Amino acid sequence: MKRKFLSPPVLLLLPAMIIIAAVVLVPLLLSLYTSFTPFKLTRPDTLYRWIGVRNYMRLFEDYYFWAAFLRTFVVLTIALNVEMLLGLGLAVLVNKAVSGQRALRTIMMFPMMFSPILVGFQFKFMFNDTVGLVNNALQSMGMERVIPWLVDEHLALFSILTAEIWSSTSVFAILILAGLMAIPRDPLEAARVDGCTPWQTFRHITLPYLMPFMFIAMTIRSLDIARAYDIVQIMTAGGPARRTELLWTMISRSGYVDANMGLANAMAYISILLSIFFTFYFFRKLMAARRYMGGAQ
Amino acid sequence: MKIGNRAFLFGSAMSAVILCGAGQAAFAKDEVMGDFSGVTLKAKFIGGNQYEPLYARITDWEKATGGKVEIISKKSHFEIDKEIKSDIAAGSTDWCVGYNHVSFAPQYTNLYTDLTPYIPQDTLDKYNPSFIEAATINGELQMLPRAQFDVSALYYRKSLYADPKNQKAFKEKYGYALTPPDTFDQFKDQAIFFADPPNFYGTQYAGKEEAVVGRFYELLVADGGQMFDKDWKPTFNSESGQQALQWFVDLYKAKAVPPGVLSYVWDDLGSGFASGSVALDLDWPGWASYFNDPKQSKVAGDVGVIVQPKGSSGKRTGWSGMHGFSMTKDCGDKKAAASLIWFLTNHDSQLFEAQKGPLPTRTKVWDDLIAQVKESGDTYRGEVLTAFQEASKHAFAVPKFPEWVESTNLIYPELQAAIVGDKTVKEALDDAAERVGDMMADYGY
């Protein structure tokens, strides 16, 4: 009997593998390759000049790149924690509502429906020093000076964080609410019968049940925030004086405005480390939480 | 140079006054026309309210020549710039007529071809020679400029200068009469004098990205400096550069500009002056009509416009830019493409665009425009045109090298660092010069 070149399972999987290779693997490999070239969009011949790890070496010595890396890490950490706490609070409150819960859930999702660009413009206007709503409100309450929200070293990052948190807290709230709705009633009732306080019930029963949902939300949002671009670009464009420069404002400027796609891709590959770190960390936590609840390993 | 959509604001009032209808006028079938039946030109243009009315005239060209134009892309400046760069990278350059801008043209020299062989010299002579020179890179005419020329003049609040109390107080404090400033030193004095934060500011400036570098560049030139020497080594950290940057720092420290000025770009400046909270505004021609429109501006009826002030060298600022049309090297029918480019920048097309606000780049169109305004009796528009015509005499473009935009991205954070006080003026400029010098060395300069 003639032997077949490919086994049926491989043959059946082949179309999917080819599609995945074409849409995921090839672009990834190409961008990885360009990070070892001085590829400039306006000089296509530079795509074929191999310069080894020079882009990476340059970035390792670039203070501003690592400052942006660290700033992204800080923004990510603060945003994730604040969004998680606010999302948890919102979810618990909505879960307590006896009537109109469906309407509340819909309203809670409104910020997610806005494009990040629109959110950026909205908050840029609110934090504008002369015509912005925030300063006008403070001045109407008696403040006699102007707060430069988008310029001050700390306030500029605070303003960006406010916009990020406003737009995405509902991601946490929705996922945590789903977790709250899935909690079995028996342990809660048993705790009440045993005389647990509401805090003890929440701390030792509700929260452990919610942890897997929280870690999934954190993983999703950590990937989002590590790529934060639109809101920052519109509100401050990374300035002034690089005070709000995050990785993707820097990468985008280098790749498209400066046309240095090789260098930008090298930055992007280094920045992936941040996403890998947070994803790995949260998945470990997720596994631990599931083990604690007696779930799958 | 400003990339934006300001000038359409200029024209709403004026287009009602001036309706000679160049767009409807029959154009002479001359110069670079021809029979292009069966030819379809693919084009990529800049989009936006300010730029698109001109494209309606393409049907006239199609009727006259038999050719067809297919606009395959129409996007904002930064989007079309990205697309053009991606096309260059991917080699997808089989379209014919494309958008160009004098500040970005050096980046596109691999894409666009020299127009000189396709446009007769007597036709080229009808454009202002300085614009043709600005559009010529390495001896090749990269684009023909349309009536989208930008240079800044100084807008001011007339009532502030007419107020006897202000005149007396200013004279006592500074020792000279209060009149709209003719030098940047006077500009600074007056901005500080008028400032009453947080309710009122003396002036404002664009504080980020290429915008702040452009303003710094023109003040550097007006103070007698240059960005680079003849070997392309950065020289903007010279004494003149420090003096130029100090002007921005002094205004910021004196609180004569809004504290958020470093996050401002063109729209913020326009709305700031129109809100009535700013005394002086060095700005583009596109705002003139908006500033004087009572429905949109609190300073309508109180706006004066004069030529931009001089720097310490006696030279006036004049950072300028202009949009135009170019032809790709891969274009299959270059004669037809050249004809379309000429048509979109000819006398009638320029008059058509200029009537809506933007400034023309052909000498005769200026004359015709001013004659029309005189006839209409609109004194404000007359004052605006006179100021900007004078301003355009001092115009100069950015240094012609492909990495201009990239260099501005290295310079502007350092300018900002000096303005907010993170670095001294010298430290900031030295750091910027070092980074730009490294970049230039990388590119083999």
Side-chain angles (χ1 to χ4, degrees):
Chain A
M1 197 176 101
K2 206 173 177 182
R3 198 180 159 194
K4 283 184 184 166
F5 181 65
L6 291 170
S7 66
V10 173
L11 210 58
L12 288 169
L13 285 172
L14 202 58
M17 286 156 81
I18 291 170
I19 291 169
I20 288 172
V23 301
V24 179
L25 207 60
V26 172
L28 268 179
L29 289 176
L30 184 65
S31 59
L32 180 64
Y33 163 76
T34 59
S35 73
F36 297 103
T37 69
F39 182 41
K40 198 166 170 66
L41 288 177
T42 50
R43 296 182 187 178
D45 53 309
T46 51
L47 180 61
Y48 308 104
R49 250 180 65 202
W50 180 264
I51 56 165
V53 293
R54 195 171 155 211
N55 282 333
Y56 289 94
M57 292 307 291
R58 174 169 287 189
L59 290 174
F60 278 117
E61 292 166 4
D62 188 344
Y63 168 80
Y64 295 119
F65 175 74
W66 290 107
F69 192 97
L70 182 66
R71 209 173 287 118
T72 310
F73 182 85
V74 172
V75 165
L76 210 159
T77 309
I78 296 173
L80 279 182
N81 282 291
V82 176
E83 284 178 22
M84 199 266 285
L85 289 173
L86 292 177
L88 179 64
L90 262 179
V92 170
L93 287 175
V94 170
N95 195 42
K96 291 275 180 204
V98 215
S99 61
Q101 202 186 94
R102 203 174 287 174
L104 282 173
R105 280 205 302 263
T106 311
I107 292 167
M108 201 166 69
M109 288 179 74
F110 274 175
M112 284 169 68
M113 297 171 193
F114 286 88
S115 126
I117 292 175
L118 194 61
V119 174
F121 279 117
Q122 185 180 307
F123 278 86
K124 185 183 178 189
F125 171 68
M126 282 170 65
F127 286 115
N128 182 290
D129 56 318
T130 50
V131 294
L133 292 178
V134 179
N135 271 350
N136 277 330
L138 291 171
Q139 281 163 1
S140 67
M141 288 188 282
M143 189 183 75
E144 286 186 355
R145 65 190 191 94
V146 167
I147 299 176
W149 292 100
L150 300 174
V151 170
D152 181 88
E153 189 164 9
H154 305 296
L155 292 178
L157 268 182
F158 169 82
S159 309
I160 287 169
L161 273 166
T162 307
E164 273 289 346
I165 291 164
W166 180 85
S167 74
S168 297
T169 292
S170 44
V171 175
F172 277 85
I174 291 296
L175 283 168
I176 293 171
L177 188 61
L180 282 170
M181 292 164 95
I183 293 178
R185 311 306 300 169
D186 301 358
L188 295 173
E189 280 162 16
R192 203 172 301 136
V193 171
D194 289 348
C196 290
T197 63
W199 169 248
Q200 283 171 328
T201 311
F202 178 78
R203 169 71 186 82
H204 298 289
I205 296 173
T206 309
L207 204 55
Y209 269 110
L210 291 180
M211 288 315 276
F213 293 88
M214 286 181 181
F215 286 125
I216 287 170
M218 281 191 152
T219 311
I220 294 169
R221 277 297 290 151
S222 72
L223 294 173
D224 262 357
I225 304 172
R227 291 175 294 147
Y229 170 71
D230 315 55
I231 290 177
V232 189
Q233 180 62 28
I234 284 159
M235 288 180 73
T236 63
R242 301 188 184 89
R243 285 172 171 182
T244 57
E245 185 84 288
L246 300 187
L247 279 172
W248 281 92
T249 51
M250 193 179 223
I251 292 169
S252 162
R253 192 179 313 116
S254 179
Y256 281 107
V257 183
D258 299 345
N260 285 327
M261 202 46 94
L263 184 68
N265 278 332
M267 288 184 195
Y269 271 93
I270 297 176
S271 79
I272 285 173
L273 293 176
L274 200 63
S275 301
I276 291 173
F277 167 76
F278 275 95
T279 308
F280 180 72
Y281 177 76
F282 289 131
F283 265 112
R284 280 194 60 175
K285 289 282 184 189
L286 175 64
M287 287 301 143
R290 293 187 70 180
R291 270 198 301 275
Y292 181 78
M293 296 306 298
Q297 297 295 303
Chain B
M1 156 264 10
K2 173 217 58 161
I3 309 286
N5 57 349
R6 228 64 72 241
F8 76 95
L9 297 162
F10 189 102
S12 51
M14 284 317 302
S15 52
V17 178
I18 309 163
L19 278 174
C20 88
Q24 291 81 48
F27 54 83
K29 197 174 177 181
D30 59 3
E31 301 189 88
V32 203
M33 300 300 274
D35 182 3
F36 303 117
S37 305
V39 174
T40 299
L41 295 173
K42 288 183 180 173
K44 294 196 173 195
F45 292 150
I46 187 168
N49 292 348
Q50 177 181 342
Y51 307 106
E52 293 190 30
L54 175 68
Y55 309 147
R57 280 180 50 80
I58 289 174
T59 49
D60 290 344
W61 181 84
E62 289 176 332
K63 274 182 209 157
T65 64
K68 290 273 167 221
V69 177
E70 184 189 347
I71 301 177
I72 55 173
S73 186
K74 203 162 53 178
K75 295 179 176 169
S76 72
H77 167 78
F78 292 105
E79 291 304 314
I80 198 83
D81 175 58
K82 274 185 200 172
E83 186 172 310
I84 288 173
K85 283 172 180 167
S86 301
D87 282 352
I88 296 171
S92 315
T93 52
D94 57 343
W95 41 280
C96 269
V97 178
Y99 161 74
N100 210 341
H101 188 283
V102 72
S103 295
F104 292 74
Q107 297 182 91
Y108 305 148
T109 50
N110 285 336
L111 171 68
Y112 292 135
T113 195
D114 181 14
L115 290 170
T116 319
Y118 305 96
I119 310 286
Q121 188 56 46
D122 59 340
T123 302
L124 292 179
D125 290 343
K126 290 172 182 165
Y127 297 84
N128 185 317
S130 66
F131 298 142
I132 292 298
E133 195 275 325
T136 304
I137 298 162
N138 301 328
E140 294 190 351
L141 180 61
Q142 287 284 309
M143 61 186 243
L144 279 188
R146 61 191 281 189
Q148 291 287 351
F149 167 66
D150 274 318
V151 65
S152 297
L154 188 67
Y155 295 93
Y156 65 96
R157 295 276 301 277
K158 284 180 173 172
S159 57
L160 295 172
Y161 287 86
D163 186 342
K165 274 188 208 160
N166 282 342
Q167 289 175 353
K168 187 166 177 275
F170 185 84
K171 184 81 189 276
E172 278 170 9
K173 190 171 179 189
Y174 293 95
Y176 62 94
L178 180 64
T179 54
D182 193 46
T183 69
F184 272 86
D185 284 343
Q186 293 172 0
F187 187 167
K188 186 167 79 179
D189 288 347
Q190 294 177 16
I192 293 170
F193 173 76
F194 287 128
D196 179 22
N199 304 312
F200 195 77
Y201 294 96
T203 187
Q204 51 184 359
Y205 45 75
K208 65 179 183 181
E209 299 169 346
E210 195 214 4
V212 67
V213 181
R215 285 283 181 243
F216 164 74
Y217 163 59
E218 64 179 342
L219 194 48
L220 166 75
V221 172
D223 282 339
Q226 277 301 333
M227 292 295 283
F228 300 95
D229 65 14
K230 61 181 172 46
D231 299 319
W232 290 102
K233 299 276 180 288
T235 54
F236 56 80
N237 53 340
S238 60
E239 288 286 326
S240 304
Q242 292 171 42
Q243 189 182 344
L245 182 52
Q246 194 63 48
W247 185 85
F248 295 86
V249 175
D250 289 347
L251 286 172
Y252 191 81
K253 273 190 182 162
K255 297 186 172 27
V257 292
V261 78
L262 292 181
S263 65
Y264 286 13
V265 278
W266 309 121
D267 287 347
D268 306 288
L269 303 185
S271 56
F273 188 72
S275 74
S277 61
V278 176
L280 294 155
D281 183 32
L282 184 68
D283 222 323
W284 306 104
W287 288 110
S289 161
Y290 175 76
F291 288 157
N292 213 38
D293 177 359
K295 287 181 191 155
Q296 305 186 78
S297 166
K298 288 184 184 168
V299 296
D302 188 26
V303 183
V305 195
I306 52 161
V307 68
Q308 65 274 34
K310 294 173 194 162
S312 60
S313 73
K315 192 170 179 175
R316 293 185 191 277
T317 53
W319 172 43
S320 67
M322 61 188 178
H323 296 248
F325 297 102
S326 297
M327 175 162 69
T328 60
K329 287 180 177 167
D330 294 343
C331 176
D333 200 321
K334 291 195 169 66
K335 280 188 180 168
S339 170
L340 177 65
I341 290 170
W342 164 78
F343 181 80
L344 291 173
T345 61
N346 70 8
H347 177 276
D348 290 353
S349 288
Q350 291 223 355
L351 195 58
F352 175 77
E353 278 208 286
Q355 282 167 351
K356 296 180 187 309
L359 302 181
T361 53
R362 280 177 168 242
T363 318
K364 188 169 183 303
V365 179
W366 265 111
D367 299 338
D368 290 353
L369 201 60
I370 288 170
Q372 283 181 354
V373 171
K374 273 187 186 161
E375 207 173 296
S376 75
D378 185 335
T379 50
Y380 174 69
R381 173 74 195 249
E383 184 185 343
V384 168
L385 277 179
T386 308
F388 278 101
Q389 192 180 31
E390 183 61 24
S392 68
K393 289 177 188 164
H394 307 284
F396 47 86
V398 299
K400 285 184 203 170
F401 70 116
E403 291 79 19
W404 164 251
V405 176
E406 191 174 345
S407 72
T408 65
N409 283 330
L410 297 173
I411 297 168
Y412 88 80
E414 302 298 340
L415 301 183
Q416 290 180 326
I419 294 169
V420 295
D422 287 354
K423 292 181 180 178
T424 66
V425 160
K426 186 168 181 349
E427 282 167 359
L429 288 176
D430 284 348
D431 287 352
E434 190 184 334
R435 286 176 75 83
V436 173
D438 289 346
M439 181 202 78
M440 301 296 273
D442 283 348
Y443 291 122
Y445 286 92

